[in-house]
């Protein structure tokens, strides 16, 4: 682990900043199939929360439908957890049982 002194904001000497040496752990956000959530709703989830195009979203949705699960995206832990919560809240608001989980990559 290394540090360096940084001069910023005129000549003010700021605290040494820790150089990031480890890459963040990454987590897959995975959608799970169920028999009740409408296909169109899953496509909207993938577009809204995972920045997929309608076409990309449809491919992922159909993979989940046919194979039971599918990866929506891969993110650092906090972002993955936020995505999982957002999907859970949106599904609950719309009374769909859609399940979304995170798995260490
Ligand atoms: N199996 C659902 C249906 O036939 C569609 C679906 C796809 C549900 C993906 C959830 O994560 C899911 N309506």
């Amino acid at each position: 682990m290394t540090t360096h002194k940084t001069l910023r904001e005129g000549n003010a000497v700021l605290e040494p900043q820790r150089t990031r040496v480890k890459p963040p752990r990454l987590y897959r956000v995975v959608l799970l199939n169920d028999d009740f959530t409408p296909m169109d709703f899953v496509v909207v989830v993938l577009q809204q929360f995972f920045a997929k195009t309608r076409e990309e979203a449809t491919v992922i949705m159909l993979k989940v439908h046919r194979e039971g699960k599918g990866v929506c995206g891969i993110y650092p832990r906090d972002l993955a957890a936020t995505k999982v919560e957002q999907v859970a809240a949106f599904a609950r608001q719309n009374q769909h049982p859609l399940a979304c989980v995170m798995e260490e990559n």
Side-chain angles (χ1 to χ4, degrees):
M1 195 72 74
T2 60
T3 58
H4 25 244
K5 289 209 168 162
T6 307
L7 290 170
R8 286 192 192 153
E9 309 271 320
N11 289 322
V13 178
L14 304 181
E15 288 301 304
Q17 297 190 339
R18 191 170 287 277
T19 301
R20 185 170 51 75
V21 290
K22 295 174 297 175
R25 286 189 190 173
L26 296 178
Y27 294 78
R28 299 185 295 275
V29 175
V30 174
L31 273 183
L32 305 181
N33 191 35
D34 66 71
D35 292 337
F36 304 103
T37 305
M39 291 183 172
D40 287 352
F41 183 82
V42 178
V43 170
V44 168
V45 165
L46 287 159
Q47 292 180 94
Q48 283 205 178
F49 298 111
F50 299 95
K52 303 302 184 186
T53 64
R54 184 170 176 80
E55 293 71 27
E56 291 167 338
T58 300
V59 169
I60 295 168
M61 182 280 294
L62 286 173
K63 180 184 170 68
V64 177
H65 177 69
R66 292 174 181 142
E67 299 177 21
K69 64 186 337 202
V71 177
C72 310
I74 303 178
Y75 307 98
R77 186 176 57 215
D78 285 7
L79 187 48
T82 298
K83 301 279 182 195
V84 167
E85 282 181 20
Q86 287 173 332
V87 172
F90 188 54
R92 202 178 327 111
Q93 278 164 27
N94 289 277
Q95 298 176 294
H96 296 310
L98 181 62
C100 184
V101 298
M102 55 195 275
E103 303 175 343
E104 193 166 0
N105 201 32

